[in-house]
Amino acid sequence: MSHPTVAPGTNFIRNIIEEDLASGKHKTVVTRFPPEPNGYLHIGHAKSICLNFGLANYYQGRCHLRFDDTNPVKEEQEYIDAIKADVSWLGFDWGAHEYHASDYFEALYGYAETLVEKGLAYVCDLSPEEMRAYRGTLTTPGKESPYRKRSSKESLDLLRRMRAGEFADGSRVLRARIDMTSPNLNLRDPILYRILRATHPRTGNAWCIYPMYDFAHGQSDSLERITHSLCTLEFQDHRPLYDWLCEALEIYHPQQIEFARLNLTYTVMSKRRLLELVNEKHVSGWDDPRMPTLSGMRRRGFPPAAIRTFCERIGVGKSDSVIDMSVLEDCVREHLDQTAPRAMGVLRPLKVTITNYPEGQTEEFTAARHPKDPAMGNRTIPFSREIYIDQDDFMEEPPKQFFRLGPGREVRLRYGYVIRCDDVIKDPVSGEVIELRCSYDAATGGGALPEGRKKVKGIIHWLSVAHALPVEVRLYDRLFSVANPAGVKDRDYRELLNAEALEALAQAFVEPGLAGASSGESFQFERLGYFCVDTKDSKPDRLVFNRSVTLRDAWTKPETKGNQP
Ligand code: ATP
Ligand code: MG
């Protein structure tokens, strides 16, 4: 597997690493990506993955994939498998360095005993409600627990009996003995261990006490000799605890460095909300192409290289910001423009009969599979008397700047002839336009324009009725109809879901040459956007295409109504 280094533009983390290497503090760089296996990865995680693996690759160090699996109630093997698949898909390789915080349960427990023996931790019997009351607030100091004075000997005995399963869930905890008056609430004797009878995906029922995140995380970093422990800004207030624990235990002390998390418009990124969307069936699953998950984006047809480019482009900083979804979509367009073969597709077909073209006759036009990459070769496009065009390319009363088809107007069929609309046929009952009768100019085939002939501005895509391949096309749009769904007052974010985020078109057609397209393959449907073969619902005789992105950003700029190339 390749090792992409996300070309780390100068950022403050790189500066710290450069200094550490120059001063001899470190000889190599060891980072880690530490997901909790309680959901699927999303584009925010991609930022962290690209940063951690990108830096390690750049400095020829290593990056560990560590599952922070300390909460057995919410964790599942399904998530572990999905996370590994997503990191690999993004193009990163942890080699032999897959770890689990649960691998260290015995070592972590040993650290807990050490702290008790040193008088730096104690078993506390306060109820959760009492504990909250004793904790104080941001403006008032906390109060010491009466159990804080317990001897090391008594706490050690109780800790061992906690582990042995003698006490009920939640009846006792192990706490660090730090400072109940600290202005930092994380230092007011934080909980290190709790009693919890839950089957763990990896350790089964071996344990009935589990370490808290803050206790497991830094100690796991230390055991793995992580040099730079990169996390998001909300952990800044936890850093004093991270440092305190390493110092109290006198163990190898990695440096925690915080960076701003990624926020994107028109979506939500909290795993809790994503899980709700899945469980309440607002989407079809974690890999629904509307989801900001990596599996959703993969299914939607976003190339992993586009996501890496995006992570590079947004950079790494120290203040929170919100990135516009169009930045990500632009990266997707840029990559697909280079790699996706071109094809024609008709999404909402309108039949056109070319009245002066002989019945039963067929001819083939030749077109490049990619205008900028001759190595992709050519494709042939059959033409005959009956064709489909897209309903959008005809208007009965077109405005001036509409260069497509209208009564009496001419348009060029891409790669083919110029046709003129002579007649509009309507359904006698509904009045809906059901067919156009056109005539073609035989001298204009294959894009030719005889000298002196009136120029034709519009070019539209089309397919021969007899040859077109019927498919389903799913148009995707942004999951939410407002930029910041989690930030709208008095409205639940679920009320702000974009009802038009999925539109399934069951009567669409594509060029016959796409019949053998493989699962996940991407194409540009000319004038329409980038589409990929759905990996789940496509059948060999009935392909389903997902729209990855439109050709242009229709959200920030008004869509050009004129001819598109
Ligand atoms: P939660 O803590 O609610 O379960 P999380 O988003 O913190 O969710 P983790 O599995 O703990 O999920 O995340 C793994 C790593 O990815 C962490 O180091 C975290 O800082 C990082 N990460 C998560 N979300 C983002 C984001 N939006 N931008 C950048 N990094 C992120
Ligand atoms: Mg987390």
Side-chain angles (χ1 to χ4, degrees):
M1 195 190 286
S2 66
H3 293 256
T5 62
V6 167
T10 300
N11 67 48
F12 74 101
I13 298 176
R14 257 193 83 177
N15 295 343
I16 295 172
I17 292 177
E18 300 270 345
E19 274 166 32
D20 289 348
L21 293 172
S23 74
K25 181 178 174 191
H26 294 299
K27 289 198 170 50
T28 183
V29 173
V30 186
T31 57
R32 84 286 170 271
F33 172 65
E36 292 173 50
N38 59 358
Y40 281 56
L41 298 182
H42 53 60
I43 183 77
H45 293 113
K47 176 175 180 176
S48 176
I49 294 168
C50 288
L51 179 64
N52 280 294
F53 280 93
L55 286 169
N57 292 345
Y58 185 80
Y59 291 105
Q60 297 176 323
R62 60 176 199 271
C63 180
H64 297 178
L65 174 62
R66 183 197 320 136
F67 292 98
D68 244 321
D69 54 350
T70 52
N71 184 2
V73 178
K74 288 189 183 164
E75 291 159 7
E76 285 172 32
Q77 186 62 38
E78 178 197 345
Y79 298 137
I80 295 183
D81 297 339
I83 289 168
K84 285 160 73 170
D86 286 345
V87 177
S88 293
W89 174 74
L90 255 194
F92 297 103
D93 183 5
W94 55 91
H97 301 285
E98 177 188 334
Y99 303 105
H100 302 256
S102 56
D103 297 338
Y104 312 131
F105 279 173
E106 196 60 57
L108 294 172
Y109 177 78
Y111 286 150
E113 288 206 352
T114 302
L115 288 177
V116 174
E117 281 162 354
K118 286 182 151 202
L120 296 172
Y122 60 97
V123 170
C124 180
D125 306 352
L126 290 180
S127 69
E129 300 74 47
E130 288 169 320
M131 193 114 52
R132 224 168 324 193
Y134 276 69
R135 197 166 182 233
T137 65
L138 281 172
T139 48
T140 56
K143 223 170 61 179
E144 291 186 358
S145 158
Y147 304 99
R148 201 176 199 263
K149 294 198 180 69
R150 252 180 190 151
S151 68
S152 292
K153 197 167 160 252
E154 189 188 351
S155 276
L156 193 59
D157 173 62
L158 287 170
L159 176 62
R160 288 179 179 163
R161 288 166 59 197
M162 276 168 64
R163 176 182 183 171
E166 287 188 28
F167 310 121
D169 284 11
S171 61
R172 291 194 155 94
V173 293
L174 180 73
R175 299 176 71 176
R177 184 186 267 123
I178 309 182
D179 179 4
M180 287 309 291
T181 64
S182 171
N184 184 337
L185 271 76
N186 294 303
L187 295 180
R188 293 186 189 169
D189 292 10
I191 299 176
L192 304 179
Y193 264 95
R194 57 188 172 149
I195 307 173
L196 177 69
R197 282 168 181 81
T199 304
H200 188 282
R202 290 175 60 85
T203 58
N205 295 319
W207 293 87
C208 64
I209 58 172
Y210 288 95
M212 300 302 286
Y213 174 86
D214 277 323
F215 188 57
H217 188 82
Q219 297 13 272
S220 300
D221 282 348
S222 175
L223 287 163
E224 292 176 17
R225 301 196 84 78
I226 301 299
T227 56
H228 301 87
S229 175
L230 314 180
C231 60
T232 39
L233 284 178
E234 67 274 22
F235 289 99
Q236 206 158 357
D237 288 347
H238 295 243
R239 183 168 11 111
L241 177 56
Y242 187 106
D243 292 341
W244 186 91
L245 285 165
C246 285
E247 274 155 36
L249 289 163
E250 297 172 79
I251 55 176
Y252 175 80
H253 189 161
Q255 182 181 2
Q256 175 178 308
I257 305 168
E258 307 87 16
F259 65 94
R261 65 192 297 121
L262 167 67
N263 300 299
L264 259 190
T265 54
Y266 296 100
T267 192
V268 291
M269 222 105 81
S270 113
K271 275 194 266 185
R272 178 180 61 80
R273 292 203 173 98
L274 295 176
L275 184 63
E276 280 168 3
L277 292 177
V278 171
N279 286 345
E280 296 167 14
K281 308 220 182 308
H282 298 289
V283 293
S284 63
W286 284 99
D287 66 352
D288 186 299
R290 290 167 288 185
M291 292 279 271
T293 52
L294 295 182
S295 49
M297 291 182 177
R298 173 162 67 238
R299 194 167 162 202
R300 171 101 168 235
F302 286 17
I307 295 176
R308 295 197 301 267
T309 300
F310 170 74
C311 291
E312 209 175 293
R313 204 164 281 176
I314 58 174
V316 179
K318 273 194 267 200
S319 53
D320 274 315
S321 67
V322 184
I323 306 289
D324 201 277
M325 184 63 98
S326 61
V327 178
L328 174 59
E329 291 165 345
D330 276 339
C331 293
V332 172
R333 277 185 199 104
E334 277 170 40
H335 278 269
L336 289 175
D337 177 45
Q338 291 167 33
T339 56
R342 274 43 173 178
M344 290 197 283
V346 171
L347 304 187
R348 296 175 187 86
L350 173 61
K351 194 173 127 183
V352 174
T353 303
I354 319 283
T355 51
N356 60 341
Y357 195 85
E359 253 175 272
Q361 184 172 315
T362 300
E363 65 187 290
E364 279 178 343
F365 297 116
T366 302
R369 294 190 80 220
H370 196 291
K372 289 170 238 161
D373 187 359
M376 283 196 195
N378 288 329
R379 62 198 218 255
T380 54
I381 304 162
F383 175 75
S384 63
R385 192 169 191 266
E386 289 182 341
I387 61 170
Y388 291 128
I389 66 167
D390 249 309
Q391 288 167 16
D392 285 354
D393 285 332
F394 171 81
M395 276 182 93
E396 221 183 339
E397 287 164 42
K400 252 219 158 88
Q401 68 279 23
F402 185 85
F403 296 118
R404 293 167 270 169
L405 214 47
R409 292 191 177 214
E410 282 189 334
V411 80
R412 178 175 293 282
L413 299 177
R414 189 145 175 86
Y415 309 117
Y417 295 109
V418 171
I419 60 169
R420 189 185 63 228
C421 177
D422 305 317
D423 251 319
V424 179
I425 301 187
K426 294 183 186 174
D427 182 288
V429 182
S430 68
E432 191 194 340
V433 176
I434 49 171
E435 188 187 334
L436 303 179
R437 298 181 73 80
C438 296
S439 48
Y440 84 111
D441 179 347
T444 57
L449 192 76
E451 253 197 57
R453 194 195 190 286
K454 191 177 133 230
K455 283 216 172 70
V456 176
K457 261 201 165 164
I459 302 178
I460 63 172
H461 57 271
W462 55 276
L463 291 166
S464 162
V465 169
H467 303 88
L469 182 71
V471 297
E472 177 178 331
V473 171
R474 296 177 184 165
L475 302 182
Y476 291 103
D477 206 332
R478 292 167 182 185
L479 183 55
F480 289 90
S481 51
V482 298
N484 180 13
V488 176
K489 275 198 197 96
D490 308 324
R491 296 281 296 274
D492 184 83
Y493 74 101
R494 282 162 287 206
E495 293 170 36
L496 305 164
L497 281 161
N498 176 9
E500 268 125 57
L502 166 61
E503 186 182 359
L505 303 170
Q507 320 284 339
F509 294 94
V510 295
E511 278 179 32
L514 266 52
S518 43
S519 184
E521 200 175 351
S522 285
F523 297 89
Q524 184 197 91
F525 291 173
E526 300 188 52
R527 301 179 64 238
L528 296 176
Y530 295 96
F531 294 76
C532 79
V533 179
D534 187 70
T535 50
K536 263 197 172 162
D537 298 339
S538 289
K539 302 197 176 60
D541 58 344
R542 173 101 178 144
L543 296 177
V544 175
F545 283 91
N546 296 324
R547 184 173 69 194
S548 312
V549 279
T550 54
L551 286 184
R552 285 180 178 77
D553 179 6
W555 278 70
T556 50
K557 292 162 236 148
E559 197 165 13
T560 14
K561 275 283 170 224
N563 176 48
Q564 296 175 356

